[in-house]
Amino acid sequence: MARHRNVRGYNYDDDFDDDDLYGQSVEDDYCISPATAAQFIYSKRDRHSSFTEPLEEEEEGATEDDDKSKASCTALSSVDQARLYSCLDQMREVLGESVPEQIMIDAVLQCGFDVAKALDLVFKQDSDTSRKPVTQDASSAARLGKDKARELPSPDTHIVPKIAKLTVSGNKQTMGFAVPSSAPSELNGQSVTATTRGQAMDDAMEENDNSVQMPTTLNTSQISEDLNSTPSQGKSFSRSKQKINVKEELEKRQGGKQLLNLVVIGHVDAGKSTLMGHLLYLLGHVNKRTMHKYEQESKKAGKASFAYAWVLDETGEERQRGVTMDVGMTKFETKTKVITLMDAPGHKDFIPNMITGAAKADVAILVVDASRGEFEAGFEAGGQTREHALLVRSLGVTQLAVVVNKMDQVNWQEERFGEVTNKLGHFLKQAGFKDTDVYYIPTSGLSGENMVKKSEISELTSWYKGPCLVDQIDTFKAPQRSVEKPFRLCASDVFKDQGSGFCVTGKIEAGYVQSGERLLVMPPNETCTVKGITLHDEAVDWAAAGDHVSLTLTGVDIIKINVGFVFCSPSEPIRACTRFRARVLIFNFDVPITQGFPVIIHYQTVSEPATIRKLISVLHKSTGEVVKKKPKCLTKGMNAIIELQTQRPVALELYKDLKELGRFMLRYSGSSIAAGVVTEIK
Ligand code: GDP
């Protein structure tokens, strides 16, 4: 509670003079091209049983052959094993059970997981062995296979060009495109990683067609070593291929629409979840049947009014308590934008979660409850309205739509709307928002009024001529994406998926990533390989700054990876440190901050205990000049340079290099006490 009292009545005017400290304004952005839309190559493979039911036959008979194949399989890394199984499955589609396992394995390994080439090799061996058979079985089987293959379409005809355009509505449209017919990436059943690696390998092979000259008995460890080094080849290969095109591809991907990350903030019970749930419903993102189900379920649970909120509040506990705890994430579209919506929890217990959401946001919707007494409760009596607004501003959000919600409760009165907006306007200006970047929209989240189309309620239309909520969101300026900077992604979730490897989700803060690429994880300084990329539930070959993605990774143990770790490009790694200097602004906090003061640093998904190691200097609020060196303590409203010491290493950027990973919040005992930007990494 203390922090809300502290926030109240504090004059923020001076503190936000320095615009630069408080995040980027969209006009002065330093990044590159406008965020955009793009076509992407959809290479999700039909992962039929190959991964889940590998080589059932192996278990049945413990023949020598099986032992051999097991041995060659186990010598491979788990990724290569998966690729091998996948290739075997495809080969079996052509050959049936006619060719012994080991012959197929040898062929696959020999041809670097290229199914087409492996099949050729098997057929070639077959014609050789028909003259001098290896075993009776094998030769007849191979012949059989060959016959079968004649009936079946040739391996090449299995090549189904799979390019999909992610339409702005998130549906994919497949469309044909010219691909080299032998590209292994186009074969069904291969994993995404296999695609890129395979492509690189295929290209390498085409240049120097040595696949046939390869010795038949290749050392498997040699192969896997070879393959392990392939991603870097693949990376540089595809990197150079994509480098020119990433901006252009992004442009195409969403049909010219710009990406915008939107966070919804506000006091608990202001109606955030209801508003956004209803908005999604009205935009057609929730079908009638599901909505009906939510209505029935919420009625049964005695919370009928929460039906729309249930669209976003997914966990049982959230529904039970009727509060949002985690940051829900959904996608929707306006005329010119593709919006990733984050519904941040309003409850004060979940402010760290809210920071995580806000750190990813470009713009925010602040929802306030227009009802008498309720707005005041949220704004004044220890509510989160002020704290949330301050937090998002400190985390770099400059544009804000204030939704004056539950206007139905006050009969759409103009006076009440004016009262609320006046109070808020004054505060938001102090908090550093420009008047021209704040927009006020009266709505009713429950009835859906003035949300996706202009309201026709006469009580409202008589005095409100502005846009509805969706039109307002559409007019937000989209920030430019740092696509040309080195790749950075801060993990917001780490989990095990069904296949080999594991998944990491997060927003790409800078640069871009491709399947098959090797990444460095900081601070643990581990490397891993990107096996697959998922963007809005679709497998893609690459993703760029601004995208919320899920990366499937291999080559590193999941237990070494934590939320808050930063994935970066190994050639341009992010620095990890335990000591850094920062320029901070102390919020309205009554306790003087001295050397040794314990704090929690929050940025992105990181929340790390730290102490204030040194108080270097106090700065003039507007000029930034040093007004006092080595101060004894810092008090509210001060601008200062301090040195922070974390217990464990953290991966950070200088604010001037990458704002998203260079600004943070300091919290103490559940209160936000300061915002800061990194000026020097020790
Ligand atoms: P959140 O905590 O901000 O996400 O708020 P919820 O969306 O959970 O809503 C809290 C309560 O306010 C629920 O009972 C909603 O039905 C109610 N509510 C939300 N929007 C409106 C509105 O526009 N009008 C009215 N009358 N009630 C609303």
Side-chain angles (χ1 to χ4, degrees), residues 67-87:
D67 288 345
K68 245 173 100 186
S69 60
K70 268 181 196 160
S72 37
C73 293
T74 46
L76 295 173
S77 71
S78 55
V79 188
D80 292 335
Q81 271 185 39
R83 294 173 65 197
L84 173 65
Y85 295 155
S86 170
C87 293

mmCIF file of all heavy atoms in Angstrom, residues 67-87:
data_model
loop_
_atom_site.group_PDB
_atom_site.id
_atom_site.type_symbol
_atom_site.label_atom_id
_atom_site.label_comp_id
_atom_site.label_asym_id
_atom_site.label_seq_id
_atom_site.Cartn_x
_atom_site.Cartn_y
_atom_site.Cartn_z
ATOM 1 N N ASP A 67 20.834 -54.946 -34.101
ATOM 2 C CA ASP A 67 21.856 -54.471 -33.170
ATOM 3 C C ASP A 67 22.750 -53.457 -33.852
ATOM 4 O O ASP A 67 23.097 -52.427 -33.300
ATOM 5 C CB ASP A 67 22.706 -55.646 -32.659
ATOM 6 C CG ASP A 67 21.907 -56.508 -31.700
ATOM 7 O OD1 ASP A 67 20.844 -56.013 -31.251
ATOM 8 O OD2 ASP A 67 22.324 -57.645 -31.435
ATOM 9 N N LYS A 68 23.079 -53.783 -35.088
ATOM 10 C CA LYS A 68 23.954 -52.901 -35.843
ATOM 11 C C LYS A 68 23.296 -51.541 -36.050
ATOM 12 O O LYS A 68 23.887 -50.493 -35.846
ATOM 13 C CB LYS A 68 24.219 -53.532 -37.216
ATOM 14 C CG LYS A 68 25.673 -53.903 -37.421
ATOM 15 C CD LYS A 68 25.863 -54.677 -38.698
ATOM 16 C CE LYS A 68 26.368 -53.848 -39.823
ATOM 17 N NZ LYS A 68 26.416 -54.566 -41.082
ATOM 18 N N SER A 69 22.002 -51.628 -36.447
ATOM 19 C CA SER A 69 21.337 -50.363 -36.708
ATOM 20 C C SER A 69 21.171 -49.566 -35.427
ATOM 21 O O SER A 69 21.318 -48.356 -35.416
ATOM 22 C CB SER A 69 19.989 -50.583 -37.388
ATOM 23 O OG SER A 69 19.163 -51.359 -36.583
ATOM 24 N N LYS A 70 20.905 -50.295 -34.337
ATOM 25 C CA LYS A 70 20.781 -49.594 -33.059
ATOM 26 C C LYS A 70 22.086 -48.897 -32.733
ATOM 27 O O LYS A 70 22.120 -47.750 -32.313
ATOM 28 C CB LYS A 70 20.440 -50.557 -31.929
ATOM 29 C CG LYS A 70 18.937 -50.671 -31.727
ATOM 30 C CD LYS A 70 18.640 -51.605 -30.593
ATOM 31 C CE LYS A 70 17.190 -52.037 -30.617
ATOM 32 N NZ LYS A 70 16.961 -53.236 -29.879
ATOM 33 N N ALA A 71 23.173 -49.646 -32.971
ATOM 34 C CA ALA A 71 24.484 -49.092 -32.648
ATOM 35 C C ALA A 71 24.740 -47.833 -33.457
ATOM 36 O O ALA A 71 25.155 -46.811 -32.913
ATOM 37 C CB ALA A 71 25.557 -50.136 -32.941
ATOM 38 N N SER A 72 24.414 -47.890 -34.767
ATOM 39 C CA SER A 72 24.693 -46.691 -35.557
ATOM 40 C C SER A 72 23.757 -45.557 -35.198
ATOM 41 O O SER A 72 24.106 -44.399 -35.314
ATOM 42 C CB SER A 72 24.646 -46.995 -37.055
ATOM 43 O OG SER A 72 23.642 -47.906 -37.336
ATOM 44 N N CYS A 73 22.547 -45.931 -34.729
ATOM 45 C CA CYS A 73 21.619 -44.871 -34.327
ATOM 46 C C CYS A 73 22.079 -44.201 -33.058
ATOM 47 O O CYS A 73 22.060 -42.983 -32.944
ATOM 48 C CB CYS A 73 20.212 -45.414 -34.102
ATOM 49 S SG CYS A 73 19.464 -45.987 -35.599
ATOM 50 N N THR A 74 22.479 -45.046 -32.090
ATOM 51 C CA THR A 74 22.817 -44.448 -30.797
ATOM 52 C C THR A 74 24.104 -43.647 -30.861
ATOM 53 O O THR A 74 24.338 -42.792 -30.016
ATOM 54 C CB THR A 74 22.909 -45.518 -29.694
ATOM 55 O OG1 THR A 74 23.667 -46.595 -30.226
ATOM 56 C CG2 THR A 74 21.547 -45.989 -29.241
ATOM 57 N N ALA A 75 24.919 -43.916 -31.882
ATOM 58 C CA ALA A 75 26.141 -43.130 -32.007
ATOM 59 C C ALA A 75 25.833 -41.695 -32.427
ATOM 60 O O ALA A 75 26.680 -40.824 -32.331
ATOM 61 C CB ALA A 75 27.066 -43.777 -33.038
ATOM 62 N N LEU A 76 24.621 -41.480 -32.877
ATOM 63 C CA LEU A 76 24.265 -40.134 -33.342
ATOM 64 C C LEU A 76 23.722 -39.295 -32.203
ATOM 65 O O LEU A 76 23.239 -39.825 -31.210
ATOM 66 C CB LEU A 76 23.187 -40.242 -34.429
ATOM 67 C CG LEU A 76 23.584 -40.921 -35.732
ATOM 68 C CD1 LEU A 76 22.357 -41.088 -36.607
ATOM 69 C CD2 LEU A 76 24.644 -40.125 -36.458
ATOM 70 N N SER A 77 23.754 -37.985 -32.410
ATOM 71 C CA SER A 77 23.140 -37.103 -31.423
ATOM 72 C C SER A 77 21.626 -37.275 -31.533
ATOM 73 O O SER A 77 21.135 -37.801 -32.539
ATOM 74 C CB SER A 77 23.517 -35.658 -31.722
ATOM 75 O OG SER A 77 22.844 -35.246 -32.882
ATOM 76 N N SER A 78 20.914 -36.806 -30.506
ATOM 77 C CA SER A 78 19.470 -37.033 -30.514
ATOM 78 C C SER A 78 18.803 -36.351 -31.711
ATOM 79 O O SER A 78 17.842 -36.874 -32.273
ATOM 80 C CB SER A 78 18.850 -36.546 -29.215
ATOM 81 O OG SER A 78 19.194 -35.214 -29.025
ATOM 82 N N VAL A 79 19.319 -35.209 -32.134
ATOM 83 C CA VAL A 79 18.720 -34.517 -33.284
ATOM 84 C C VAL A 79 18.929 -35.355 -34.533
ATOM 85 O O VAL A 79 17.996 -35.575 -35.322
ATOM 86 C CB VAL A 79 19.444 -33.163 -33.540
ATOM 87 C CG1 VAL A 79 18.710 -32.372 -34.594
ATOM 88 C CG2 VAL A 79 19.649 -32.408 -32.270
ATOM 89 N N ASP A 80 20.171 -35.837 -34.670
ATOM 90 C CA ASP A 80 20.457 -36.608 -35.862
ATOM 91 C C ASP A 80 19.687 -37.923 -35.861
ATOM 92 O O ASP A 80 19.276 -38.408 -36.915
ATOM 93 C CB ASP A 80 21.962 -36.841 -35.987
ATOM 94 C CG ASP A 80 22.682 -35.530 -36.272
ATOM 95 O OD1 ASP A 80 22.013 -34.631 -36.823
ATOM 96 O OD2 ASP A 80 23.858 -35.397 -35.936
ATOM 97 N N GLN A 81 19.498 -38.467 -34.654
ATOM 98 C CA GLN A 81 18.686 -39.692 -34.575
ATOM 99 C C GLN A 81 17.283 -39.415 -35.076
ATOM 100 O O GLN A 81 16.735 -40.164 -35.884
ATOM 101 C CB GLN A 81 18.605 -40.169 -33.126
ATOM 102 C CG GLN A 81 19.724 -41.105 -32.771
ATOM 103 C CD GLN A 81 19.522 -41.644 -31.348
ATOM 104 O OE1 GLN A 81 18.412 -41.931 -30.949
ATOM 105 N NE2 GLN A 81 20.608 -41.774 -30.617
ATOM 106 N N ALA A 82 16.740 -38.300 -34.627
ATOM 107 C CA ALA A 82 15.379 -37.947 -35.042
ATOM 108 C C ALA A 82 15.336 -37.765 -36.551
ATOM 109 O O ALA A 82 14.401 -38.201 -37.229
ATOM 110 C CB ALA A 82 14.933 -36.680 -34.341
ATOM 111 N N ARG A 83 16.370 -37.115 -37.078
ATOM 112 C CA ARG A 83 16.412 -36.892 -38.526
ATOM 113 C C ARG A 83 16.526 -38.217 -39.260
ATOM 114 O O ARG A 83 15.886 -38.433 -40.289
ATOM 115 C CB ARG A 83 17.613 -36.010 -38.877
ATOM 116 C CG ARG A 83 17.477 -34.610 -38.318
ATOM 117 C CD ARG A 83 18.732 -33.818 -38.539
ATOM 118 N NE ARG A 83 18.997 -33.600 -39.955
ATOM 119 C CZ ARG A 83 20.182 -33.230 -40.427
ATOM 120 N NH1 ARG A 83 21.193 -33.071 -39.618
ATOM 121 N NH2 ARG A 83 20.348 -33.046 -41.709
ATOM 122 N N LEU A 84 17.326 -39.093 -38.660
ATOM 123 C CA LEU A 84 17.510 -40.398 -39.282
ATOM 124 C C LEU A 84 16.176 -41.140 -39.343
ATOM 125 O O LEU A 84 15.774 -41.676 -40.364
ATOM 126 C CB LEU A 84 18.552 -41.189 -38.484
ATOM 127 C CG LEU A 84 18.753 -42.640 -38.889
ATOM 128 C CD1 LEU A 84 19.324 -42.736 -40.299
ATOM 129 C CD2 LEU A 84 19.678 -43.365 -37.919
ATOM 130 N N TYR A 85 15.470 -41.157 -38.187
ATOM 131 C CA TYR A 85 14.189 -41.860 -38.146
ATOM 132 C C TYR A 85 13.213 -41.276 -39.153
ATOM 133 O O TYR A 85 12.461 -41.977 -39.815
ATOM 134 C CB TYR A 85 13.587 -41.794 -36.735
ATOM 135 C CG TYR A 85 14.398 -42.524 -35.698
ATOM 136 C CD1 TYR A 85 14.332 -42.162 -34.353
ATOM 137 C CD2 TYR A 85 15.232 -43.584 -36.051
ATOM 138 C CE1 TYR A 85 15.074 -42.821 -33.394
ATOM 139 C CE2 TYR A 85 15.980 -44.237 -35.098
ATOM 140 C CZ TYR A 85 15.905 -43.860 -33.771
ATOM 141 O OH TYR A 85 16.632 -44.499 -32.832
ATOM 142 N N SER A 86 13.252 -39.950 -39.236
ATOM 143 C CA SER A 86 12.354 -39.293 -40.156
ATOM 144 C C SER A 86 12.657 -39.727 -41.599
ATOM 145 O O SER A 86 11.751 -40.040 -42.374
ATOM 146 C CB SER A 86 12.512 -37.788 -39.994
ATOM 147 O OG SER A 86 11.841 -37.138 -41.001
ATOM 148 N N CYS A 87 13.949 -39.763 -41.917
ATOM 149 C CA CYS A 87 14.350 -40.177 -43.273
ATOM 150 C C CYS A 87 13.936 -41.627 -43.518
ATOM 151 O O CYS A 87 13.438 -41.973 -44.601
ATOM 152 C CB CYS A 87 15.862 -40.071 -43.448
ATOM 153 S SG CYS A 87 16.437 -38.390 -43.390
#
